Amino acid sequence: MTILGHPRSWSCQWLPVLILLLGTGHEPGVEGVTHYKAGDPVILYVNKVGPYHNPQETYHYYQLPVCCPEKIRHKSLSLGEVLDGDRMAESLYEIRFRENVEKRILCHLQLSSAQVEQLRQAIEELYYFEFVVDDLPIRGFVGYMEESGFLPHSHKIGLWTHLDFHLEFHGDRIIFANVSVRDVKPHSLDGLQPDEFLRLTHTYSVRWSETSVEHRSDRRRGDDGGFFPRTLEIHWLSIINSMVLVFLLVGFVAVILMRVLRNDLARYNLDEETTSGSSGDDFDQGDNGWKIIHTDVFRFPPYRGLLCAVLGVGAQFLALGTGIIVMALLGMFNVHRHGSINSAAILLYALTCCISGYVSSHFYRQIGGERWVWNIILTTSLFSVPFFLTWSVVNSVHWANGSTQALPATTILLLLTVWLLVGFPLTVIGGIFGKNNASSFDAPCRTKNIAREIPSQPWYKSTFIHMTVGGFLPFSAISVELYYIFATVWGREQYTLYGILFFVFAILLSVGACISIALTYFQLSGEDYRWWWRSVLSVGSTGLFIFLYSVFYYARRSNMSGAVQTVEFFGYSLLTGYIFFLMLGTISFFSSLKFIRYIYVNLKMD
C-alpha cells in the first residue's frame, strides 16, 4: 500500500531528465572527485526513500512531509541513475568544506495529523533515506520504532529530527561521508489528537576530519558504518561443490558416451561390411538404434522460423551476458550501485541485435526457409514484445503508487529511440548478411521423402522427463551461486565476485552442452528423430527451475512485501527465466547438432 502522496512541485521533478544521454554522468561512489578549497560550498542532494526490505520500491524524498525548499531544483542524471530510481534534488543543508557546524536549524515544520500519520506509516515500514554528497551516497532511517513486552504491549514511534554528518577529507578532496543519529533522542509521534498540529524543529551538525586514505577505493569496505550488508565474501565451499559436480558430470557423460559411441560405430560399420552383399531392405530389418533413422534425423522440423528466432535471440543473450561479465571483470562498473550496469546492458543489447539477426537468418536460409522478412520480424519481437508487456505492467504499478522506479516519458522515448535507431536496424542488417552468407545445410545423410514411423517410447524418454533432467542438472550446478545473485539484485548485498560469476557461467554452459548431447543420444537410440525442438526444450527448461527458485526465494529467503515489490519481482523473474531458456536452449541445440553431425559423418553408408 502506498503511503506517500504526490510531492510538491511534481512537474519540476522530471525537468532534469530531459537531457539524458547513454553513459553520461557517473554513479555515486565512482572516483569522479571534486576538488575544494576551505569554505567552498558542498552541495548535499536528497534522493529517495523506501522500505528497507523492498529495494525496488523507492519514492522521492520530498514526498514525505520534510524540510523542503520553495523551489525544487533537480540534478541532471545519467540513464543508469534514472533506471536505478534516483531522483536527486538540492536540499536546505548548508555544508562548507572543512567547516564544522554544531546543531544548526534546518527548518521549522507544523504537521497536520494526516502528515504525522504518513510519517508513522513510513517509520513502521522501516523507511530509509538516501542523500548524496559529492557523489557519495549516505543513508539512514527516517525514524525509530520500539516494540516491547507482551502484557502490557508497548509500541513507540519516533522521528529523527537531528542528523549528524561526518565527512572525511584528504587534501582538497572528500573521501568519505556518513550520517549518524547516535546520542540523538527521537521526537515522539505518539499521542497526537486528530485535530492537533505537531510542531517540529529539524537541526543538523557537520563534523570534518582528516584521513590518511588518499582515494575512495583504498578505504576498506565495511568501514562505512554498514548500513547495508557488507560485500559478499568468496564462498569456497559452494565453488568446490559446483566444480566437483561439474567434473563428475562432464567426465561421466564424456567417458560413458564415448565408449558407447565407439562400440556403436564399430558394430554398425562391421555390420555394413558383412551385409554389403545383402539388399537394403534386409539391412534395415536387421538394424536398430540411431543408425536406422539416418534417413530421417536431418528432416527439418515444424515451425522452423520460430526455431531460428529462438536460436538467434539466444545467441544474442549469450554475447550480451558474456560482455557484461567481461566488462565487470575489467572494472568498468561501480560495485556499489547498479545504474552503470543497467546502462551497459541497454547499450549492449542494442548493439548485439546484429547477432540475433545474423544467426537467425543464416540458419533459416540453411534449412530451406523462404520468408526471411517474416523471420527477421519474429526474431526482433521474440524478446522485445514480452519485455515491453512485462515492463508496461510493472511501470504502471510503480506509476500508480508514485514510485521513482516509474520511468518518466522522456526516458521511455530515449529507450524507444535507441531500439528504433540502433537495435532494429542492426537486426535487419545482421539478417541480410546472414541470408547472403548462408550455404546449404549439407547434411551427412540423405533424407527420404516419406517419414519413418516412430516406435512407442518408454516413459523415461518422454519430453517431460528430458526437460526435468536437462533442466535440473544445470540448475543444480549454479543453485548456490544463484542465491548470492538474487541477494544482490533483490536484496542489499553487494556482489563483487565477477571472476567467480564468469566461472559459474562457463560451468552452466558446459553442463548444458553435455546434458544435451547425452539426452539427444538416448533419444536417437530409441529411433526417435524429432530432436530439433527436444534439444531446445530439454536444457532450456533450466529457466523454469530458475523461476521456481525465485518463488522459493521470495517466500522463504526475503522479507519483500507489497504490490509494488511483488509485481516487479515476479515480472522480471519471469523474464529472467525466459532469457535463460533462450540462452541454454541455443547452447543445447548447437551442441546436439554438432554431435549428430559427428556421429553420422563417421558412420559408413551404403
Side-chain angles (χ1 to χ4, degrees):
M1 181 180 65
T2 306
I3 67 172
L4 298 179
H6 293 286
R8 290 159 289 190
S9 302
W10 182 258
S11 59
C12 298
Q13 180 176 348
W14 311 115
L15 292 179
V17 192
L18 293 172
I19 316 173
L20 279 172
L21 291 173
L22 275 169
T24 59
H26 50 273
E27 307 297 329
V30 179
E31 204 69 26
V33 183
T34 305
H35 298 271
Y36 297 93
K37 296 179 181 178
D40 283 352
V42 178
I43 300 177
L44 184 146
Y45 292 99
V46 298
N47 191 11
K48 55 190 176 183
V49 294
Y52 183 84
H53 296 298
N54 291 358
Q56 279 69 40
E57 183 181 351
T58 55
Y59 305 93
H60 197 281
Y61 179 76
Y62 287 144
Q63 288 178 256
L64 285 175
V66 293
C67 297
C68 174
E70 293 183 3
K71 183 178 180 181
I72 301 176
R73 294 183 177 180
H74 286 82
K75 179 184 178 183
S76 60
L77 304 175
S78 69
L79 175 63
E81 291 169 330
V82 174
L83 294 176
D84 204 33
D86 292 343
R87 303 292 185 269
M88 299 183 202
E90 293 183 6
S91 67
L92 294 174
Y93 294 96
E94 295 182 3
I95 302 176
R96 294 189 176 275
F97 189 66
R98 300 180 64 171
E99 290 186 5
N100 293 332
V101 173
E102 190 64 36
K103 209 165 186 180
R104 176 182 293 173
I105 295 177
L106 182 66
C107 75
H108 300 283
L109 290 179
Q110 181 172 290
L111 304 181
S112 65
S113 57
Q115 291 175 316
V116 172
E117 183 60 26
Q118 187 180 352
L119 285 172
R120 285 178 56 89
Q121 291 187 31
I123 295 170
E124 286 179 339
E125 295 187 18
L126 297 180
Y127 268 48
Y128 74 97
F129 63 82
E130 179 179 284
F131 297 162
V132 178
V133 177
D134 194 29
D135 292 319
L136 289 169
I138 54 178
R139 304 176 181 95
F141 285 105
V142 172
Y144 168 81
M145 182 177 65
E146 179 182 345
E147 296 270 0
S148 61
F150 180 68
L151 287 176
H153 177 66
S154 173
H155 182 76
K156 299 178 181 179
I157 294 179
L159 176 70
W160 300 118
T161 57
H162 178 82
L163 297 178
D164 286 321
F165 294 99
H166 176 216
L167 297 99
E168 296 181 4
F169 65 93
H170 181 89
D172 58 356
R173 293 165 294 144
I174 300 176
I175 303 298
F176 173 75
N178 192 20
V179 65
S180 169
V181 291
R182 186 177 301 173
D183 302 326
V184 177
K185 185 178 180 180
H187 193 288
S188 176
L189 300 182
D190 299 320
L192 190 69
Q193 299 300 320
D195 57 346
E196 184 180 354
F197 287 90
L198 179 66
R199 291 178 173 81
L200 296 175
T201 299
H202 284 270
T203 59
Y204 67 99
S205 300
V206 180
R207 295 181 177 86
W208 292 87
S209 60
E210 191 168 7
T211 178
S212 59
V213 178
E214 297 185 6
H215 303 284
R216 295 175 181 179
S217 57
D218 294 338
R219 189 181 179 92
R220 293 183 302 171
R221 296 188 179 95
D223 291 347
D224 57 355
F227 184 78
F228 287 154
R230 287 170 170 75
T231 305
L232 291 169
E233 300 295 336
I234 299 179
H235 28 282
W236 292 110
L237 186 60
S238 64
I239 296 172
I240 294 174
N241 176 65
S242 297
M243 288 178 58
V244 171
L245 174 64
V246 169
F247 288 146
L248 288 178
L249 186 60
V250 174
F252 173 80
V253 171
V255 172
I256 299 301
L257 210 55
M258 291 309 297
R259 291 191 61 180
V260 172
L261 266 181
R262 190 181 298 113
N263 293 335
D264 283 353
L265 287 171
R267 176 166 60 87
Y268 288 154
N269 290 333
L270 180 62
D271 291 344
E272 174 74 17
E273 294 173 359
T274 56
T275 59
S276 58
S278 304
S279 64
D281 293 339
D282 294 339
F283 175 75
D284 283 345
Q285 292 175 2
D287 202 4
N288 55 39
W290 53 266
K291 180 182 178 180
I292 199 173
I293 58 173
H294 67 274
T295 57
D296 295 281
V297 72
F298 292 105
R299 186 180 303 280
F300 297 146
Y303 311 109
R304 65 184 72 177
L306 179 60
L307 175 65
C308 294
V310 169
L311 300 179
V313 179
Q316 176 186 0
F317 276 105
L318 283 170
L320 175 62
T322 304
I324 289 179
I325 296 176
V326 169
M327 290 174 67
L329 283 172
L330 296 177
M332 301 178 67
F333 300 136
N334 176 23
V335 299
H336 298 293
R337 295 177 67 86
H338 306 123
S340 54
I341 297 183
N342 293 337
S343 299
I346 291 172
L347 185 60
L348 282 179
Y349 174 79
L351 294 177
T352 54
C353 282
C354 59
I355 297 177
S356 64
Y358 182 88
V359 173
S360 177
S361 184
H362 184 270
F363 195 70
Y364 185 66
R365 177 53 65 93
Q366 276 192 329
I367 61 178
E370 299 294 337
R371 302 171 60 191
W372 78 273
V373 175
W374 168 248
N375 172 253
I376 290 297
I377 296 175
L378 184 60
T379 300
T380 196
S381 305
L382 195 64
F383 175 76
S384 59
V385 170
F387 173 79
F388 177 77
L389 294 176
T390 303
W391 169 83
S392 298
V393 174
V394 173
N395 199 67
S396 298
V397 173
H398 281 299
W399 177 80
N401 287 272
S403 171
T404 59
Q405 297 289 336
L407 296 184
T410 50
T411 305
I412 297 173
L413 290 176
L414 174 64
L415 298 178
L416 185 61
T417 302
V418 170
W419 185 79
L420 289 175
L421 298 184
V422 181
F424 182 71
L426 283 180
T427 306
V428 176
I429 293 173
I432 293 174
F433 277 98
K435 177 178 70 73
N436 294 335
N437 294 333
S439 56
S440 61
F441 187 70
D442 193 22
C445 310
R446 296 191 307 271
T447 301
K448 289 184 177 180
N449 294 329
I450 301 176
R452 182 185 182 88
E453 182 180 355
I454 300 174
S456 60
Q457 301 293 317
W459 64 271
Y460 53 84
K461 289 188 178 181
S462 64
T463 302
F464 174 77
I465 297 299
H466 276 207
M467 290 179 64
T468 303
V469 175
F472 177 75
L473 290 177
F475 170 77
S476 64
I478 64 169
S479 58
V480 177
E481 197 68 24
L482 205 58
Y483 165 78
Y484 295 99
I485 296 174
F486 270 70
T488 301
V489 177
W490 301 108
R492 301 298 186 182
E493 303 287 356
Q494 297 171 353
Y495 195 96
T496 57
L497 309 176
Y498 296 115
I500 302 301
L501 183 62
F502 185 80
F503 178 72
V504 171
F505 186 64
I507 285 177
L508 177 65
L509 301 184
S510 302
V511 173
C514 291
I515 293 301
S516 173
I517 291 172
L519 293 177
T520 299
Y521 173 78
F522 295 142
Q523 181 182 358
L524 298 181
S525 298
E527 302 178 16
D528 185 355
Y529 51 82
R530 300 169 300 183
W531 63 273
W532 301 75
W533 277 107
R534 178 77 69 86
S535 63
V536 174
L537 295 174
S538 59
V539 179
S541 62
T542 305
L544 177 60
F545 282 88
I546 291 175
F547 176 74
L548 294 177
Y549 176 82
S550 71
V551 177
F552 167 78
Y553 179 87
Y554 180 88
R556 305 304 297 267
R557 291 290 183 267
S558 76
N559 295 311
M560 292 182 283
S561 61
V564 175
Q565 184 67 36
T566 301
V567 170
E568 170 146 344
F569 179 84
F570 285 107
Y572 289 127
S573 292
L574 269 173
L575 276 181
T576 301
Y578 181 53
I579 291 172
F580 273 91
F581 165 77
L582 295 172
M583 286 197 305
L584 296 177
T586 300
I587 285 290
S588 176
F589 176 83
F590 283 115
S591 300
S592 295
L593 178 61
K594 188 74 174 177
F595 168 73
I596 291 173
R597 282 185 177 276
Y598 170 78
I599 62 175
Y600 282 99
V601 163
N602 287 277
L603 187 64
K604 293 181 181 179
M605 297 293 178
D606 52 349

